[in-house]
Amino acid sequence: MNRGTIIVDAITYIEKLQDEVQSLSQQLHQMEATSEETTETKIDEIEAVEDMKNWGIQEEVTVAQIDENKFWVKIIIEKKRGSFSKLMETLNYFGIELMDTNLTTTKGAFLITSCIQGKNGERLEINQIKDLLQDIINDM
């Protein structure tokens, strides 16, 4: 090997290392940005819980029968990321169909009102619905 090829090989190696450093720096910046978003989300959720407490809002489940197999439901829960989706998925899993659903957020809480009925005409009982909703909320 002569001196020229050694220098060319060294330059090529240094350029590859610089590309690697730049790629790793970008990944690190992305990870830091994601970490900051997660921290902000947690702060928002903590503030939401504090808002609920400051305003005297408590979690609540109310169920009233409209007709033979149709019920009106009012649910108040903490405003947390994903809690509404989890509630809807769980109710769907248990064969409960929601109609005319309203969602309001205020003072760190979700207020959800809806008419519900059993899918495919399944009979539901008021106590079963209330217990199920309470269990779902407790698991969130």
Side-chain angles (χ1 to χ4, degrees), residues 32-63:
E32 288 174 348
T34 303
S35 175
E36 289 174 1
E37 289 174 5
T38 304
T39 303
E40 289 174 13
T41 300
K42 288 179 182 176
I43 290 170
D44 289 345
E45 288 178 3
I46 291 169
E47 288 174 357
V49 173
E50 291 301 316
D51 274 350
M52 274 184 69
K53 289 178 183 175
N54 291 339
W55 287 96
I57 301 171
Q58 302 213 349
E59 290 184 343
E60 178 185 338
V61 175
T62 305
V63 181

Side-chain angles (χ1 to χ4, degrees), residues 75-119:
I75 303 167
I76 299 174
I77 56 174
E78 287 178 17
K79 183 180 173 185
K80 287 194 267 185
R81 180 175 289 201
S83 59
F84 180 72
S85 298
K86 183 177 180 180
L87 176 67
M88 296 299 111
E89 290 170 0
T90 307
L91 290 174
N92 186 49
Y93 175 79
F94 282 103
I96 296 176
E97 183 177 12
L98 286 92
M99 303 163 295
D100 302 322
T101 302
N102 292 302
L103 171 69
T104 304
T105 60
T106 185
K107 299 176 179 122
F110 283 133
L111 168 62
I112 305 161
T113 58
S114 182
C115 286
I116 64 170
Q117 67 182 17
K119 288 184 180 178

Side-chain angles (χ1 to χ4, degrees), residues 67-78:
D67 66 21
E68 190 174 307
N69 199 31
K70 194 182 254 185
F71 300 87
W72 176 81
V73 177
K74 177 179 102 175
I75 303 167
I76 299 174
I77 56 174
E78 287 178 17

